[in-house]
Amino acid sequence: MTKLKVVDTGSRRGNCYVLDYDGELLLLDFGCKWENILEGIQFKISNVSGALLTHQHMDHAKCYKNLMTVGIPIYTNDETAEYFNVVAGERMVGIPEGQWISIGNFKVIPLYVPHDGVPNYMYLIKIPDGQLMMYATDFMYLPKTFKGMHISTFLIECNHLDADTEKDAVNYKHSIKGHSSLDVVKNVIRANRTELMKNVILCHISETWGNSELMRHEIKEITGDAVTVDVAEPGLERDISLFPF
């Protein structure tokens, strides 16, 4: 069985998600309280094969020292590893863009996505159950499409509504430049939709600029009834098995 659990989400609480394949765990960012992460993995530190870090902002990276202390390897881009001044021998690894690597039984390929000048990775994750998952957050747009790869599960940031950006141009530029809007996410889903799409989880929704129910409804109109569309919130857990039993 493959499960996806939301530990925390959003700029204020921080972002952390757990991918669980038959008890083997992969962390997707770790920007919330360490206590919440421990609870989210049921204190099974030895079951965590690794952690993927998208970029340097602390709502994604807050607990990097905690992970190193307990021996969980962190994978990210070279610029982010250098930003945290990790010396040789510690457990943050810069991995090259566009190359598959193995993390336990998971396989991962990172790709740069634009985030207001900050080096930022999205990840495609091959899960041993046969499916491909996308984790993409803090991006202005995705420079590539992946329809030929038949992605089944999308964990994707839907931060704000384009219509709201007219309310306060100064705060818009400061707060959400570099974060994907509902219209951007719609385009991603349309461009990558195949018969294998099964799950869309909308994450990192802005407390100020977002409308979770509207976002879920509009994405659902694109995906149709065969696809489950969820809004990420702390404690949400979904069975995302490709072939559920």
Side-chain angles (χ1 to χ4, degrees), residues 48-133:
V48 182
S49 293
L52 300 179
L53 174 59
T54 53
H55 63 293
Q56 68 190 40
H57 289 157
M58 295 308 286
D59 60 327
H60 296 264
K62 178 178 180 179
C63 288
Y64 75 97
K65 290 183 179 178
N66 300 90
L67 267 65
M68 290 180 181
T69 297
V70 300
I72 297 174
I74 300 169
Y75 302 88
T76 187
N77 53 69
D78 288 334
E79 297 91 339
T80 300
E82 184 178 351
Y83 173 82
F84 287 114
N85 293 317
V86 178
V87 299
E90 291 189 316
R91 302 183 70 86
M92 188 178 291
V93 180
I95 55 176
E97 181 186 24
Q99 297 183 27
W100 289 101
I101 67 163
S102 295
I103 304 175
N105 287 306
F106 300 99
K107 294 186 183 300
V108 175
I109 187 169
L111 296 165
Y112 281 107
V113 291
H115 180 44
D116 198 19
V118 176
N120 182 35
Y121 267 169
M122 63 160 280
Y123 294 97
L124 298 176
I125 306 164
K126 284 185 180 177
I127 303 171
D129 68 0
Q131 72 169 299
L132 186 68
M133 173 183 166

Side-chain angles (χ1 to χ4, degrees), residues 160-173 176 183 209:
H160 61 92
L161 304 171
D162 284 332
D164 285 344
T165 64
E166 298 177 0
K167 290 182 179 179
D168 187 336
V170 174
N171 282 341
Y172 164 66
K173 184 176 181 180
I176 58 180
D183 282 350
W209 301 90

Side-chain angles (χ1 to χ4, degrees), residues 3-231:
K3 296 184 291 184
L4 183 65
K5 182 173 184 178
V6 179
V7 176
D8 263 323
T9 188
S11 297
R12 295 178 184 173
R13 295 184 62 98
N15 296 274
C16 180
Y17 314 91
V18 180
L19 185 57
D20 179 342
Y21 173 73
D22 282 351
E24 181 181 1
L25 309 179
L26 182 66
L27 294 182
L28 310 177
D29 282 330
F30 35 87
C32 61
K33 293 181 180 178
W34 178 235
E35 294 81 2
N36 293 352
I37 296 176
L38 289 175
E39 291 178 6
I41 63 174
Q42 297 180 313
F43 300 89
K44 297 177 180 178
I45 293 172
S46 62
N47 288 16
V48 182
S49 293
L52 300 179
L53 174 59
T54 53
H55 63 293
Q56 68 190 40
H57 289 157
M58 295 308 286
D59 60 327
H60 296 264
K62 178 178 180 179
C63 288
Y64 75 97
K65 290 183 179 178
N66 300 90
L67 267 65
M68 290 180 181
T69 297
V70 300
I72 297 174
I74 300 169
Y75 302 88
T76 187
N77 53 69
D78 288 334
E79 297 91 339
T80 300
E82 184 178 351
Y83 173 82
F84 287 114
N85 293 317
V86 178
V87 299
E90 291 189 316
R91 302 183 70 86
M92 188 178 291
V93 180
I95 55 176
E97 181 186 24
Q99 297 183 27
W100 289 101
I101 67 163
S102 295
I103 304 175
N105 287 306
F106 300 99
K107 294 186 183 300
V108 175
I109 187 169
L111 296 165
Y112 281 107
V113 291
H115 180 44
D116 198 19
V118 176
N120 182 35
Y121 267 169
M122 63 160 280
Y123 294 97
L124 298 176
I125 306 164
K126 284 185 180 177
I127 303 171
D129 68 0
Q131 72 169 299
L132 186 68
M133 173 183 166
M134 173 192 286
Y135 175 46
T137 185
D138 292 59
F139 62 94
M140 297 174 68
Y141 59 90
L142 297 189
K144 299 180 180 180
T145 59
F146 308 94
K147 190 167 186 176
M149 300 182 76
H150 300 280
I151 298 169
S152 298
T153 295
F154 293 73
L155 176 58
I156 186 168
E157 176 180 10
C158 190
N159 189 279
H160 61 92
L161 304 171
D162 284 332
D164 285 344
T165 64
E166 298 177 0
K167 290 182 179 179
D168 187 336
V170 174
N171 282 341
Y172 164 66
K173 184 176 181 180
H174 174 72
S175 300
I176 58 180
K177 183 180 179 182
H179 291 264
S180 60
S181 69
L182 175 60
D183 282 350
V184 168
V185 176
K186 284 180 176 180
N187 289 335
V188 170
I189 297 302
R190 289 190 189 103
N192 295 285
R193 183 182 176 189
T194 70
E195 70 280 0
L196 283 182
M197 180 184 286
K198 299 298 181 185
N199 305 283
V200 176
I201 300 98
L202 306 175
C203 64
H204 207 326
I205 295 175
S206 169
E207 295 88 348
T208 303
W209 301 90
N211 182 323
S212 58
E213 273 308 303
L214 175 62
M215 290 170 168
R216 194 195 71 81
H217 174 74
E218 295 203 13
I219 297 299
K220 188 68 175 175
E221 285 191 336
I222 297 172
T223 64
D225 293 337
V227 178
T228 300
V229 179
D230 285 308
V231 171

